[in-house]
Amino acid sequence: MDWTLEVAFLPVTDVDRAKEFYTRIGFNPDHDQSPSDDVRFVQMTPPGSSCSIAFGKGIVDRSGPNAGPLMLCVSDIQVARKQLVEAGVDASEVDEQPWGHFVYFTDPDGNDWNVQYLPYRYES
């Protein structure tokens, strides 16, 4: 039996601002539904990912950023950083470690993200 992680829930203070931010950096807006006045559910997926993020009104009960960084994995860290910077994101310089290369950024609500590139997966 497979156990797959398919959605990570994020606390946000402004649903429209969060949706605009994630759309700007390339996430696909899969759903934006309001089944009642107390609930708005937005689900967005990074390009090529099987895991989405979800946020909205009445979705996450606690305030503040996520419990820890979320990680995106890419095949080219330089291209990923360039895309973030061109979208107006304050992305870190590439942090090259022996086990991988990383770029860090934070969304407008303080949710932390790591972008990971593992050279051994892509270099011969």
Side-chain angles (χ1 to χ4, degrees):
M1 171 176 61
D2 292 337
W3 291 48
T4 62
L5 178 62
E6 301 206 9
V7 180
F9 290 84
L10 299 179
V12 301
T13 55
D14 183 324
V15 178
D16 290 324
R17 179 182 67 182
K19 183 177 179 183
E20 185 279 326
F21 175 83
Y22 286 106
T23 299
R24 186 167 24 106
I25 66 171
F27 284 41
N28 183 61
D30 303 321
H31 303 286
D32 187 345
Q33 302 295 319
S34 296
S36 74
D37 290 341
D38 298 325
V39 175
R40 179 175 174 197
F41 179 82
V42 178
Q43 183 172 334
M44 303 188 74
T45 305
S49 180
S50 296
C51 186
S52 302
I53 59 170
F55 52 85
K57 180 180 174 186
I59 301 301
V60 177
D61 293 332
R62 63 182 177 80
S63 62
N66 58 327
L70 296 168
M71 185 172 288
L72 297 166
C73 299
V74 298
S75 59
D76 189 320
I77 196 73
Q78 297 296 338
V79 170
R81 182 180 185 281
K82 182 177 185 238
Q83 181 178 337
L84 290 168
V85 170
E86 287 176 352
V89 175
D90 183 19
S92 73
E93 295 295 327
V94 175
D95 176 15
E96 293 190 20
Q97 298 296 324
W99 57 87
H101 304 173
F102 302 88
V103 168
Y104 310 100
F105 70 95
T106 303
D107 79 4
D109 286 289
N111 294 299
D112 295 322
W113 289 87
N114 295 346
V115 181
Q116 173 186 286
Y117 165 72
L118 299 175
Y120 64 83
R121 286 187 181 169
Y122 301 98
E123 297 174 358
S124 304

